[in-house]
Amino acid sequence: MADGLLQIAALSDRAFRIRFVPGQAAPAMPVSDILAPLHDRPSPARRKESNGAIRLELPHIRCEVRPDSAALRFFDRNGALLLAERPGGRRLAPGMLGTERVFSVEQAFESPADEHLYGTGCFQDGHLNLRGLPRRLTQVNTQISLPFLLSSKGYGLLWHQQGMSEINPPDRPIALVRQQQDGAAQLADVTTTQGNARVARREAVFEGRFVTDHEGPHAFLLDIGQKMASRHHVEIDGRVLTDHTNLWLPPTAGFIAHLGAGEHRVRVIADDKDTPSLAFAPVDESTRWRSPVAEAIDYVVIAGPSAAEVMAGYRALIGITPMMPLWALGYIHCRERFHSSDEIIETAREFRRRRLPVDMMVQDWQYWGQYGWNAMRFDESRYPDPVGLCRTLHDMDMRFMLSVWSKVSRETDLGRQFAQRDFYIRDTDWVDFFNPQAASFYAYNQNRRLASLGIDAWWQDATEPENDDLVGRHTAAGPGEKVRLSYPLQVSRAVYEGQRRAAPDKRVMILTRSAFPGQQRYAAATWSGDIGHDWETLKRQIPAGLNMAAAGYPYWTVDAGGFFRPGKEQYTDPAYHERFLRWFQYATFLPLQRVHGYMTDTEFWRYGDQVENVARRYLELRYRMLPYIYALAAQAHQVGMPVLRPLVFDFPHDPQALGQSHSYMFGPALHVAPVLAPDAASWPVYLPASTGGWYDFWTGSRRAGGQVHQVDCPIERIPLHVRAGSILPLGPIVESSAHALGKDLDIVVFPGRDGAMMLYEDDALSYAYEHGESASTTLIWQDAKRVLKIGPRVGRFSGMANQRRLRIRLAGDGTCAMEAPMFHDILYTGQAIDVELGRGH
């Protein structure tokens, strides 16, 4: 081609990598830092030519290029169009980054009006469908950027860049003028990279005018002009289009507004120190990706056509998500913060005294005390015996997670060792994890100084690194601008590989605040950062988490109750108690269930009997669901399916389901619709069209799909439905996952449709499953025959229970799923058996 060379490479039977490079030379396709090494060579693409078009065909995808336009088109195995580049939508402009030549690249794709797009990670803008929406992908507190889109049209697209990227960047700036305004400063307690701090914040108002050419949807991107924001507020013609306040927010936020043709007034409320800018553009039938610092246009297309097939294809490219230890899927108890070993132990004992299920206690930052920031050492004045602390928790069947940062103060003994070896990113305290020697030295010290004490899990905080701090820096991989999104991947890699070397048969569990594609293979869960506690923030977490799942990231959670909380009144304020319980109900149906809170003792009993009693109900439900959740974890490991998922995964042909931003599936069986407003006695729930309809989990009532239902939601209930045809395994109520292995199960069948599920088990702690030590049992419900077929147990592992009781239950109207009538009590020994559940229902 005249301005560059187009390269097309087959990555698998359903994926092509496309790269457009400057010049006419033919460099080899570079090795990817994002994609995992391919274990099997993909089938060679068959080349065909017809009517001037060149076609490259793989078993599940076809790429077609016409020389006259040079725009690529991609088709699925049935010949249906998946994705098409927009003719003339490719741009590659040279530039300089210091003394290094770089390119600003852009690629536009066609996007029909009925397409829904999901993914790009955890954003606080509140949007689920990203079609036409502007987003700037940066890594900051409360925002996780994963440059991957999943389409309702049956494809996935990985924008293969490690630098900052944008989708649908609007190109029409609006001049904003600061208005004179008096206002008192508000004091706020916040977290910083130096610890807790109190800051003064004052609001300012900016106004402007702009003109639209025609009526229709218009996309906007607000840039607050600082590394972090505290408020996103935009009004157009007196109408509020976005309004979100938190002590930490990303610097940008996108939204879409339907506007008429003509002049419009805009008003932005921001922090007094902000310098906001606002740009807009009409929404058209395209999706545009842009990266201002890149070497080439580079992207990967994965064909479905189902979302499950896209996820399986994505997993094959970015690597396998390891099995989490079972205890990671129980309740994780956090607060900011425990101040001593005694506080941790006493809190753990109180959980056990009250018989409240819990699996992990978490020590947040600053336990290092006199030794300095992240010295990888406990201050003995408050933590005299860390080995004994871990042993005491283990004796209570609990695990211990510790906060460890990616920065080490240069003033610490450890920091001086990093500095002597030149292992820092220059002019920062951030370790240069792009340097393999620095990463290895970090992991070695984490193992020697901390893991050797008996610590079980790692809270790798601020791995963005905080405040997008690679901009203007130089790393071992080159300018920070080229790799600013991928720092968290390198941190997780170092910790995971270091742990695997130090304790080869102990499962790694990492919780980290940021992520990048490929990080899934390093046992790294994420959460949504330092969010607020209000209803609006809770509402925005749901699409944020679903877009993490749609971007192929299976483990994500929240600070249930909000990180920034109301202060001391939270313990007695009924309004906050209601809000907290709705948060916790939602968190029960996330991949990880945890509570956290800034300057807060977060234990349930501190909020009174009602909070403790309702929380107990959901803790016990979580532990009863562990067999189901562990089976979902096995799906994430084996085929790449996320644990929670937007409705496009299971109902791609239901247009109304595709638009549901605040309800979702937790695995294939459970439909969850969190309550997102105060004083709600009922809640509108759209149940997707599905044969056999749905069962209310709490009452057993049957409800039809394809309709909105007003569902009762007293404070002890989250609207929860089970899809007809589901088979839900429930274990006993236990206080620790250590007591859940191999126990008797209730197998609850929800008739009305054929269905199947697979029970999965292993030892829950080691990596023996990687060598085939696991067991699975397939359960199949034949609705017409009213027969549950329990297949033979396949496989075995050390410590496996050779037999267990299975209580076969049939869901019905008027009965909670957990109390469904029992039809059979079976001693299952691993042999296949058919169970008849009678006629009629």
Side-chain angles (χ1 to χ4, degrees):
M1 298 178 61
D3 54 350
L5 182 71
L6 182 64
Q7 297 175 294
I8 304 173
L11 297 183
S12 72
D13 285 353
R14 63 175 71 248
F16 282 109
R17 181 180 176 186
I18 311 302
R19 188 171 168 90
F20 184 73
V21 297
Q24 295 300 304
M29 189 79 78
V31 174
S32 171
D33 292 328
I34 301 171
L35 306 177
L38 295 175
H39 296 291
D40 301 311
R41 292 184 63 84
S43 304
R46 292 181 298 168
R47 179 182 172 124
K48 296 182 178 180
E49 294 190 31
S50 176
N51 298 322
I54 300 172
R55 296 177 179 174
L56 298 175
E57 295 184 352
L58 293 167
H60 298 285
I61 187 172
R62 185 177 87 222
C63 177
E64 179 180 288
V65 58
R66 292 186 176 275
D68 54 347
S69 71
L72 302 180
R73 296 196 300 167
F74 301 89
F75 301 83
D76 70 14
R77 60 176 172 260
N78 301 314
L81 179 65
L82 294 173
L83 175 67
E85 292 183 345
R86 172 163 278 199
R90 184 181 298 144
R91 188 180 67 86
L92 192 148
M96 299 298 294
L97 183 62
T99 60
E100 183 171 340
R101 189 184 188 215
V102 297
F103 291 88
S104 174
V105 303
E106 181 174 312
Q107 180 65 64
F109 300 92
E110 303 287 357
S111 179
D114 62 343
E115 182 174 33
H116 288 67
L117 292 168
Y118 311 88
T120 75
C122 170
F123 281 67
Q124 298 299 320
D125 56 30
H127 294 276
L128 180 63
N129 181 11
L130 308 183
R131 184 183 180 277
L133 181 77
R135 276 186 171 175
R136 183 173 297 162
L137 276 63
T138 54
Q139 307 286 31
V140 293
N141 190 350
T142 75
Q143 179 170 293
I144 303 169
S145 293
L146 303 170
F148 181 91
L149 285 176
L150 173 70
S151 170
S152 62
K153 295 296 183 180
Y155 68 87
L157 188 146
L158 172 67
W159 184 246
H160 192 266
Q161 304 286 351
Q162 297 183 62
M164 185 274 282
S165 298
E166 298 176 288
I167 58 168
N168 305 316
D171 56 3
R172 303 185 187 184
I174 301 171
L176 296 175
V177 179
R178 184 187 182 101
Q179 306 299 302
Q180 293 293 333
Q181 186 175 8
D182 296 324
Q186 301 292 319
L187 295 178
D189 292 305
V190 300
T191 55
T192 73
T193 54
Q194 286 75 45
N196 299 328
R198 175 160 287 191
V199 298
R201 287 177 169 168
R202 181 182 286 106
E203 287 185 344
V205 175
F206 303 80
E207 294 182 352
R209 294 176 181 272
F210 65 99
V211 176
T212 55
D213 300 327
H214 60 269
E215 181 182 358
H218 288 73
F220 292 80
L221 184 69
L222 171 70
D223 184 341
I224 218 68
Q226 292 203 72
K227 288 188 173 182
M228 293 295 292
S230 58
R231 187 169 189 186
H232 297 153
H233 182 102
V234 181
E235 302 170 16
I236 297 177
D237 300 332
R239 181 163 58 108
V240 176
L241 273 303
T242 186
D243 186 13
H244 190 200
T245 302
N246 187 38
L247 294 175
W248 295 126
L249 282 175
T252 59
F255 60 92
I256 294 176
H258 191 98
L259 300 174
E263 186 177 75
H264 303 275
R265 294 175 293 105
V266 63
R267 185 171 185 260
V268 175
I269 301 177
D271 186 89
D272 182 63
K273 297 178 182 178
D274 293 342
T275 56
S277 61
L278 188 66
F280 80 102
V283 174
D284 62 12
E285 294 197 350
S286 72
T287 297
R288 287 181 297 133
W289 282 95
R290 178 186 295 171
S291 293
V293 179
E295 295 177 352
I297 294 172
D298 199 338
Y299 66 91
V300 176
V301 179
I302 306 166
S306 71
E309 289 171 301
V310 172
M311 289 295 111
Y314 192 38
R315 169 192 176 274
L317 298 181
I318 63 171
I320 296 170
T321 299
M323 289 295 296
M324 286 285 185
L326 182 61
W327 46 259
L329 305 179
Y331 172 58
I332 301 171
H333 184 67
C334 309
R335 60 149 108 151
E336 194 285 318
R337 56 192 161 83
F338 289 109
H339 298 84
S340 67
S341 295
D342 289 344
E343 276 191 9
I344 296 171
I345 292 170
E346 177 52 36
T347 302
R349 286 175 174 159
E350 188 63 22
F351 266 95
R352 290 292 181 249
R353 278 194 288 268
R354 293 174 181 265
R355 303 183 69 83
L356 289 168
V358 63
D359 256 276
M360 184 151 41
M361 307 299 289
V362 181
Q363 173 65 59
D364 204 343
W365 61 353
Q366 302 195 54
Y367 56 88
W368 46 75
Q370 62 180 314
Y371 295 112
W373 191 279
N374 199 39
M376 294 192 185
R377 185 171 178 180
F378 286 87
D379 185 333
E380 295 89 350
S381 65
R382 292 176 289 129
Y383 303 86
D385 181 13
V387 173
L389 167 62
C390 293
R391 185 188 314 115
T392 299
L393 292 176
H394 293 167
D395 288 344
M396 287 188 274
D397 292 318
M398 291 190 202
R399 304 286 168 164
F400 186 45
M401 174 183 278
L402 185 69
S403 172
V404 185
W405 283 55
S406 307
K407 63 181 293 185
V408 179
S409 171
R410 292 172 181 263
E411 298 176 0
T412 64
D413 172 67
L414 180 60
R416 286 187 285 272
Q417 295 183 49
F418 272 97
Q420 288 167 5
R421 292 165 171 81
D422 196 23
F423 285 166
Y424 282 113
I425 294 173
R426 190 170 300 171
D427 300 325
T428 78
D429 286 356
W430 301 108
V431 176
D432 190 350
F433 283 92
F434 296 100
N435 178 343
Q437 292 178 308
S440 179
F441 187 69
Y442 180 97
Y444 166 77
N445 278 280
Q446 185 167 335
N447 287 326
R448 182 174 65 89
R449 295 166 177 258
L450 295 174
S452 62
L453 304 175
I455 294 163
D456 303 286
W458 305 100
W459 188 350
Q460 298 292 149
D461 208 348
T463 54
E464 296 87 6
E466 196 152 64
N467 297 334
D468 198 14
D469 204 27
L470 292 188
V471 179
R473 314 287 189 191
H474 194 84
T475 75
E481 284 83 352
K482 293 181 71 172
V483 293
R484 65 196 269 198
L485 294 186
S486 61
Y487 187 82
L489 166 67
Q490 303 301 334
V491 178
S492 296
R493 183 206 305 263
V495 175
Y496 176 81
E497 292 180 347
Q499 293 286 295
R500 290 297 303 259
R501 286 192 297 269
D505 211 31
K506 178 183 177 182
R507 288 190 199 175
V508 182
M509 193 268 171
I510 299 169
L511 179 64
T512 185
R513 202 169 68 187
S514 196
F516 193 67
Q519 190 169 310
Q520 299 94 319
R521 56 185 180 260
Y522 301 122
T526 67
W527 88 103
S528 59
D530 295 348
I531 53 175
H533 61 80
D534 54 279
W535 289 106
E536 180 64 23
T537 299
L538 170 58
K539 182 179 180 180
R540 290 174 183 238
Q541 300 320 295
I542 298 170
L546 295 179
N547 275 325
M548 282 293 290
Y553 212 92
Y555 290 106
W556 175 91
T557 188
V558 297
D559 289 347
F563 178 68
F564 292 114
R565 294 196 176 192
K568 291 183 179 179
E569 64 266 25
Q570 68 181 290
Y571 302 112
T572 55
D573 179 12
Y576 179 72
H577 294 177
E578 178 190 18
R579 211 153 60 242
F580 171 81
L581 288 173
R582 296 306 191 188
W583 272 93
F584 191 63
Q585 290 165 1
Y586 165 55
T588 302
F589 301 95
L590 292 177
L592 305 182
Q593 183 194 41
R594 60 189 286 274
V595 160
H596 193 35
Y598 182 53
M599 301 177 72
T600 298
D601 295 344
T602 56
E603 294 74 41
F604 304 105
W605 54 86
R606 303 185 189 278
Y607 298 84
D609 290 344
Q610 183 189 52
V611 170
E612 181 178 354
N613 291 337
V614 176
R616 179 190 302 276
R617 178 187 180 101
Y618 284 87
L619 287 168
E620 291 178 349
L621 175 57
R622 176 79 180 192
Y623 278 75
R624 291 211 66 189
M625 290 194 303
L626 280 178
Y628 176 69
I629 296 171
Y630 204 55
L632 300 181
Q635 283 190 0
H637 167 69
Q638 294 167 352
V639 296
M641 279 291 278
V643 178
L644 79 158
R645 52 191 85 153
L647 299 181
V648 68
F649 276 81
D650 296 278
F651 308 99
H653 304 299
D654 182 340
Q656 194 166 348
L658 296 182
Q660 301 299 310
S661 299
H662 300 102
S663 60
Y664 60 94
M665 295 299 291
F666 187 63
L670 298 176
H671 179 279
V672 187
V675 176
L676 304 172
D679 305 319
S682 66
W683 194 251
V685 178
Y686 176 76
L687 294 174
S690 181
T691 301
W694 299 81
Y695 291 79
D696 187 309
F697 181 87
W698 306 109
T699 68
S701 299
R702 291 285 292 272
R703 295 192 172 104
Q707 298 179 27
V708 175
H709 301 268
Q710 286 293 328
V711 178
D712 290 344
C713 61
I715 191 60
E716 68 274 9
R717 272 194 225 160
I718 184 174
L720 182 64
H721 290 82
V722 189
R723 190 179 186 183
S726 297
I727 304 166
L728 189 63
L730 298 173
I733 296 173
V734 292
E735 294 178 41
S736 165
S737 66
H739 306 297
L741 293 173
K743 293 297 190 291
D744 298 348
L745 297 178
D746 290 292
I747 306 296
V748 188
V749 177
F750 296 81
R753 173 174 168 265
D754 289 346
M757 74 90 55
M758 181 176 289
L759 283 171
Y760 172 87
E761 298 176 288
D762 55 29
D763 66 19
L765 298 173
S766 79
Y767 287 102
Y769 71 87
E770 293 181 341
H771 309 292
E773 292 193 33
S774 64
S776 59
T777 304
T778 300
L779 308 177
I780 298 174
W781 169 246
Q782 296 179 336
D783 196 63
K785 296 180 179 180
R786 286 291 198 262
V787 169
L788 178 66
K789 300 179 74 68
I790 305 174
R793 184 167 52 216
V794 178
R796 63 178 303 104
F797 57 92
S798 178
M800 183 181 76
N802 290 320
Q803 61 183 34
R804 69 194 329 170
R805 305 207 75 82
L806 301 180
R807 293 178 289 269
I808 313 301
R809 300 179 181 272
L810 194 66
D813 196 12
T815 307
C816 175
M818 293 182 290
E819 300 163 357
M822 184 174 67
F823 276 61
H824 295 276
D825 188 342
I826 296 167
L827 183 64
Y828 181 66
T829 61
Q831 304 301 309
I833 185 172
D834 289 357
V835 182
E836 204 170 324
L837 297 187
R839 296 281 170 182
H841 184 64

